[in-house]
Amino acid sequence: MAGQSKIPQATAKRLPLYYRFLNNLHIQGKTRVSSKELSDAVKVDSATIRRDFSYFGALGKKGYGYNVEYLLGFFRKTLDQDETTTVALIGVGNLGTAFLHYNFTKNNNTKIAMAFDADESKVGEEIGGVKVYHIDQLEEKLTDVQAAILTVPGSVAQPITERIVNSGITGILNFTPARITVPDHVRVHHIDLAVELQSLVYFMKHYPSENS
Ligand code: ATP
């Protein structure tokens, strides 16, 4: 992401959330928003929002709030919304199939352009408008792809990771339970849905009245 080096990681993670809400306001024709309104909508406390926004050079005015257009312009640049990031999905099982049907371009400019699987019965199919190729064709097809979503079984996650990294992919959204090892220039975000659910239940039991 361009121009993002000075923004703390925790702030950077909230950018897509802010972006989505502000974009909706913009579509509704709203030109300004208060930190209280934002806070209620994105469930981030207003002190954090004010601190986050100060990194973007957006200083809210008392009684006026923030300029929606200015913030959107900043977010678009920072999140590279003007440029589409091409994504490949590896593993067209239950979860992978759901992602192919999910329209990621609704809110931002990421697009799943192709999918891969080892199962011959899935190869050649088109799911949610995305063509499924055989995993043997990975190197041949991954020529202009920046990121990958991994929805294969954990047992094959590492060897597949090595192949996609060698093909030039620099970002991986890992939905497998396996922890994968990558070179320093590759960014991995790990989302284990079973762990997330377990963690939710734990917090429901032990911290019932607190948010996040
Ligand atoms: P399904 O019901 O289709 O088996 P699942 O999500 O329960 O889906 P998993 O065993 O998690 O099944 O596998 C996810 C997908 O990854 C499957 O479509 C499977 O064919 C595919 N897959 C398994 N091994 C590989 C591999 N080495 N390369 C590419 N895809 C693979």
Side-chain angles (χ1 to χ4, degrees), residues 91-94 117-119 122 135 151-153 156 160:
V92 191
N94 290 311
D117 204 287
D119 184 344
K122 294 174 183 173
I135 192 73
T151 43
V152 288
V156 295
I160 288 181

Side-chain angles (χ1 to χ4, degrees), residues 99-144:
F99 289 148
L100 294 182
H101 286 296
Y102 184 77
N103 185 1
F104 284 100
T105 48
K106 253 186 299 194
N107 289 308
N108 55 50
N109 286 358
T110 46
K111 189 176 126 223
I112 300 179
M114 58 186 83
F116 297 90
D117 204 287
D119 184 344
E120 294 284 357
S121 70
K122 294 174 183 173
V123 173
E125 271 193 60
E126 204 172 287
I127 302 172
V130 180
K131 188 94 185 272
V132 181
Y133 296 103
H134 195 277
I135 192 73
D136 289 350
Q137 290 175 279
L138 196 70
E139 285 78 5
E140 172 198 332
K141 296 285 176 193
L142 288 188
T143 49
D144 195 23

Side-chain angles (χ1 to χ4, degrees), residues 1-179:
M1 283 189 269
Q4 211 212 276
S5 50
K6 286 188 213 82
I7 300 173
Q9 284 203 19
T11 301
K13 278 199 172 167
R14 287 188 282 269
L15 285 187
L17 201 65
Y18 294 145
Y19 176 79
R20 185 158 45 177
F21 179 68
L22 287 163
N23 205 23
N24 285 338
L25 286 185
H26 184 62
I27 290 164
Q28 290 161 27
K30 287 196 83 176
T31 53
R32 58 193 197 180
V33 63
S34 68
S35 45
K36 167 88 170 68
E37 252 177 294
L38 253 172
S39 168
D40 290 345
V42 299
K43 303 274 180 287
V44 173
D45 67 277
S46 41
T48 304
I49 290 181
R50 277 194 295 273
R51 189 163 22 85
D52 283 352
F53 282 22
S54 68
Y55 293 115
F56 321 148
L59 303 166
K61 289 192 207 102
K62 247 203 154 47
Y64 177 88
Y66 295 96
N67 183 312
V68 171
E69 196 114 14
Y70 172 86
L71 283 170
L72 272 180
F74 176 87
F75 292 153
R76 259 194 218 108
K77 254 194 279 135
T78 310
L79 294 167
D80 277 348
Q81 296 293 320
D82 296 333
E83 224 176 277
T84 303
T85 302
T86 306
V87 182
L89 180 131
I90 330 262
V92 191
N94 290 311
L95 194 54
T97 302
F99 289 148
L100 294 182
H101 286 296
Y102 184 77
N103 185 1
F104 284 100
T105 48
K106 253 186 299 194
N107 289 308
N108 55 50
N109 286 358
T110 46
K111 189 176 126 223
I112 300 179
M114 58 186 83
F116 297 90
D117 204 287
D119 184 344
E120 294 284 357
S121 70
K122 294 174 183 173
V123 173
E125 271 193 60
E126 204 172 287
I127 302 172
V130 180
K131 188 94 185 272
V132 181
Y133 296 103
H134 195 277
I135 192 73
D136 289 350
Q137 290 175 279
L138 196 70
E139 285 78 5
E140 172 198 332
K141 296 285 176 193
L142 288 188
T143 49
D144 195 23
V145 179
Q146 293 86 47
I149 298 175
L150 266 195
T151 43
V152 288
S155 56
V156 295
Q158 187 60 41
I160 288 181
T161 296
E162 280 156 29
R163 287 176 65 188
I164 58 180
V165 166
N166 285 336
S167 298
I169 274 182
T170 51
I172 299 173
L173 200 53
N174 176 21
F175 282 93
T176 82
R179 292 282 162 176

